[in-house]
Amino acid sequence: MPTRIDARFAALRAEGRAALVTFVMAGDPDLETSLEILKALPGAGADLIEVGMPFTDPMADGPAIQAAGLRALRAGTTLKKTLKLVADFRAFDQTTPIVLMGYYNPIYVFGVEAFLAAALDAGVDGLIVVDLPPEEDAELCLPARAAGLNFIRLATPTTDDKRLPKVLENTSGFVYYVSLTGITGAALADYSGVAAAVKRIKSHTNLPVAVGFGVKNAASAAVIAANADGVVVGSALVSAIKDSLDAEDRAGPGTASSVASLVAAIAEGVRSARRLRPQSVSPLKKLFDAFAKVWS
């Protein structure tokens, strides 16, 4: 049975544009503000939302997302409260796909069977669990898929053609291509390799390919959207949240609106790329330079 993720990518494919996938940490800087931010994202232009599950040892995350997780944990955010946050969002929005992203330890402690039941009840559509390799699919991936959740995997520049089929074997929803090696929040210096990487992954799968890491603004989003099925932005949004807080990391009246404003600008970049998809627009650097002038 198709999930909200499948339906959203199908609709955007018919529309002829890429998806904007936004990441925010559950409970950052507090649960009330976090819900306000989530509610603002679809109206600002987010097509799918990744919700981070706060964890004390986020080994793949850079300083911005690590700090967001710590703020959320200090605010009392737990996995149970993260699921409640999704359920509260679902009372407001029944159509925007929600993907929980994080690490396996909190799920393991919660209990896989109980977690999957609670996630479905809350309205979660998919999972990204970065520290469970395909060799451990029986732990969570296969039960999640059997329960009706998409299980989304990461591919990286070091995932070669020999490894890729194993990574994709039980992947569903979409493939998340991490466009650089390293931690979240790092800058992508060269966008020219993204198109080739997406093409290579698509030679192995019919799933949509969303590209993340290094997306900071409308210009970088537009370049990626010209070649990928989705653009993922996370650290830039988390940094916008941080910049809106006071010296004691408390939310202000403009916290949610500051995030929404950045999402709206990036969404415009993603949507503008639809008009620039034809092969006549080349090379890729010329496209990037044009958008950089507009949104610099």
Side-chain angles (χ1 to χ4, degrees), residues 134-204:
E135 287 75 15
E136 303 298 333
D137 274 357
E139 282 285 325
L140 181 63
C141 173
L142 295 180
R145 291 199 58 178
L149 293 169
N150 289 128
F151 200 89
I152 297 135
R153 287 221 180 271
L154 308 181
T156 74
T158 60
T159 309
D160 60 22
D161 287 326
K162 183 178 179 181
R163 176 65 173 169
L164 198 51
K166 184 64 177 176
V167 170
L168 297 172
E169 185 177 9
N170 292 309
T171 299
S172 64
F174 64 95
V175 181
Y176 185 158
Y177 176 64
V178 177
S179 55
L180 51 80
T181 55
I183 57 174
T184 59
L188 181 59
D190 182 10
Y191 291 85
S192 61
V194 171
V198 171
K199 182 178 180 181
R200 182 173 69 86
I201 294 170
K202 282 182 165 293
S203 71
H204 292 269

Side-chain angles (χ1 to χ4, degrees), residues 30-260:
D30 58 72
L31 285 160
E32 182 180 353
T33 306
S34 187
L35 179 59
E36 186 181 356
I37 291 168
L38 284 181
K39 288 181 176 181
L41 291 175
D47 298 300
L48 294 87
I49 300 173
E50 293 176 359
V51 176
M53 298 178 284
F55 181 48
T56 53
D57 190 22
M59 58 188 176
D61 293 317
I65 292 180
Q66 286 188 23
L70 290 176
R71 289 194 296 270
L73 290 170
R74 285 197 298 268
T77 307
T78 62
L79 184 51
K80 185 175 181 180
K81 289 180 180 179
T82 297
L83 293 170
K84 175 67 163 51
L85 183 69
V86 175
D88 290 343
F89 172 80
R90 277 284 170 247
F92 165 80
D93 184 317
Q94 285 289 320
T95 59
T96 303
I98 294 286
V99 176
L100 292 184
M101 184 172 186
Y103 299 84
Y104 184 49
N105 183 275
I107 297 171
Y108 177 80
V109 171
F110 196 104
V112 168
E113 187 175 341
F115 168 75
L116 293 177
L120 284 168
D121 188 56
V124 173
D125 303 293
L127 304 174
I128 301 175
V129 182
V130 300
D131 55 348
L132 273 183
E135 287 75 15
E136 303 298 333
D137 274 357
E139 282 285 325
L140 181 63
C141 173
L142 295 180
R145 291 199 58 178
L149 293 169
N150 289 128
F151 200 89
I152 297 135
R153 287 221 180 271
L154 308 181
T156 74
T158 60
T159 309
D160 60 22
D161 287 326
K162 183 178 179 181
R163 176 65 173 169
L164 198 51
K166 184 64 177 176
V167 170
L168 297 172
E169 185 177 9
N170 292 309
T171 299
S172 64
F174 64 95
V175 181
Y176 185 158
Y177 176 64
V178 177
S179 55
L180 51 80
T181 55
I183 57 174
T184 59
L188 181 59
D190 182 10
Y191 291 85
S192 61
V194 171
V198 171
K199 182 178 180 181
R200 182 173 69 86
I201 294 170
K202 282 182 165 293
S203 71
H204 292 269
T205 181
N206 292 321
L207 290 171
V209 178
V211 177
F213 282 44
V215 179
K216 302 290 187 184
N217 50 36
S220 52
V223 175
I224 290 175
N227 297 284
D229 302 300
V231 178
V232 185
V233 58
S235 293
L237 304 186
V238 169
S239 294
I241 293 172
K242 170 59 179 174
D243 291 345
S244 75
L245 306 180
D246 67 16
E248 294 171 352
D249 285 338
R250 292 176 300 200
T255 294
S257 60
S258 65
V259 179

